[in-house]
Amino acid sequence: RQAALALQKVPPRDLVRDIILAKTELYNADLAAWQAHGGDDEPHRRRLASERRRLEQFCYDWLGLSWAAVKIPPASTVSNSGMETVPVAFDAVRLEAELRRRVFGESVIQYVEAANPSAPDDWSNVVVAGSDGSTYKSVMSIDTARAFVDDAGSEVVTFNNSIVYLHLEGLNKQRHPTPSYSVPITRSAIDSPT
């Protein structure tokens, strides 16, 4: 209860930024300790790899941040000796700009009165809309003629998904027989920023 009351006063962007900065600081401190004393300490190396994966998941998968905002070393930065070599870095201005486009609201938790007097008695005639915006990442090969070029590696691709359901009644229901709509699967529709 105390945490919920406190989170009613915390702007969500501030919280998300502070989580990223704290995780970055923890990773970089652990990396410095590993570089100074790690040697063959396998549990420490695994902990670093795990911290890096969690930071990648939070920044890239969940928030869809760019490499320009938060530079998390890829797993390939582990040298042949098994030592992590690259710290996490971030661009504070770019991070703030990207968080403004991804994190919304006045507070982390918003208090809503359950017994709202303006709620309708009959919910069956109310239009309800909801959206789930999710981000997933994958890896795409960037070579089209692999047999003729050296290994160029791959490119991380981010997929942004969103779905909205509309409950239609009356004339709207007659005009629109299905509440499901999709972007046409055409090159121009997929490439369109709208």
Side-chain angles (χ1 to χ4, degrees), residues 136-157:
Y136 302 93
K137 73 174 180 182
S138 186
V139 176
M140 174 180 72
S141 175
I142 58 175
D143 295 334
T144 56
R146 187 170 294 281
F148 302 103
V149 295
D150 293 334
D151 280 343
S154 59
E155 198 65 37
V156 174
V157 180

Side-chain angles (χ1 to χ4, degrees), residues 8 12 25 42 48 57 59 86-87 125 140 147 149 168 173:
Q8 289 179 31
E25 187 178 325
E42 185 59 23
L48 272 172
Q57 183 182 44
C59 293
V86 182
N125 291 320
M140 174 180 72
V149 295
L168 304 175
K173 190 170 188 175

Side-chain angles (χ1 to χ4, degrees), residues 111-130:
Y111 178 78
V112 177
E113 186 68 50
N116 187 340
S118 64
D121 295 330
D122 181 11
W123 282 91
S124 65
N125 291 320
V126 175
V127 174
V128 178

Side-chain angles (χ1 to χ4, degrees), residues 27 30 42-56 73 75 78 84:
Y27 177 85
D30 232 3
E42 185 59 23
H44 193 158
R45 190 198 64 75
R46 283 196 309 267
R47 186 174 67 241
L48 272 172
S50 177
E51 286 174 12
R52 185 187 62 241
R53 279 192 305 273
R54 284 195 301 270
L55 195 53
E56 281 178 332
V78 177
E84 303 276 344

Side-chain angles (χ1 to χ4, degrees), residues 13-194:
R13 266 194 299 275
D14 292 353
L15 178 67
V16 170
R17 184 195 58 241
D18 290 350
I19 288 171
I20 292 169
L21 299 182
K23 286 182 173 288
T24 297
E25 187 178 325
L26 177 66
Y27 177 85
N28 288 342
D30 232 3
L31 175 62
W34 167 257
Q35 289 173 333
H37 311 290
D40 58 356
D41 185 357
E42 185 59 23
H44 193 158
R45 190 198 64 75
R46 283 196 309 267
R47 186 174 67 241
L48 272 172
S50 177
E51 286 174 12
R52 185 187 62 241
R53 279 192 305 273
R54 284 195 301 270
L55 195 53
E56 281 178 332
Q57 183 182 44
F58 188 73
C59 293
Y60 300 150
D61 297 352
W62 295 354
L63 294 171
L65 297 174
S66 72
W67 172 264
V70 182
K71 296 172 181 64
I72 302 169
S76 62
T77 60
V78 177
S79 69
N80 291 337
S81 66
M83 178 179 270
E84 303 276 344
T85 58
V86 182
V88 173
F90 62 91
D91 178 326
V93 173
R94 181 71 182 253
L95 176 60
E96 200 64 39
E98 290 189 20
L99 288 178
R100 270 196 306 278
R101 292 194 308 263
R102 289 167 174 80
V103 181
F104 301 95
E106 297 299 316
S107 62
V108 173
I109 292 181
Q110 182 180 0
Y111 178 78
V112 177
E113 186 68 50
N116 187 340
S118 64
D121 295 330
D122 181 11
W123 282 91
S124 65
N125 291 320
V126 175
V127 174
V128 178
S131 178
D132 168 57
S134 304
T135 304
Y136 302 93
K137 73 174 180 182
S138 186
V139 176
M140 174 180 72
S141 175
I142 58 175
D143 295 334
T144 56
R146 187 170 294 281
F148 302 103
V149 295
D150 293 334
D151 280 343
S154 59
E155 198 65 37
V156 174
V157 180
T158 302
F159 300 92
N160 296 309
N161 305 292
S162 183
I163 185 168
V164 174
Y165 171 77
L166 294 175
H167 180 77
L168 304 175
E169 288 293 333
L171 196 54
N172 276 332
K173 190 170 188 175
Q174 293 171 7
R175 287 184 184 153
H176 308 284
T178 176
S180 301
Y181 302 93
S182 175
V183 172
I185 305 301
T186 62
R187 186 65 186 187
S188 60
I190 291 171
D191 287 343
S192 171
T194 59

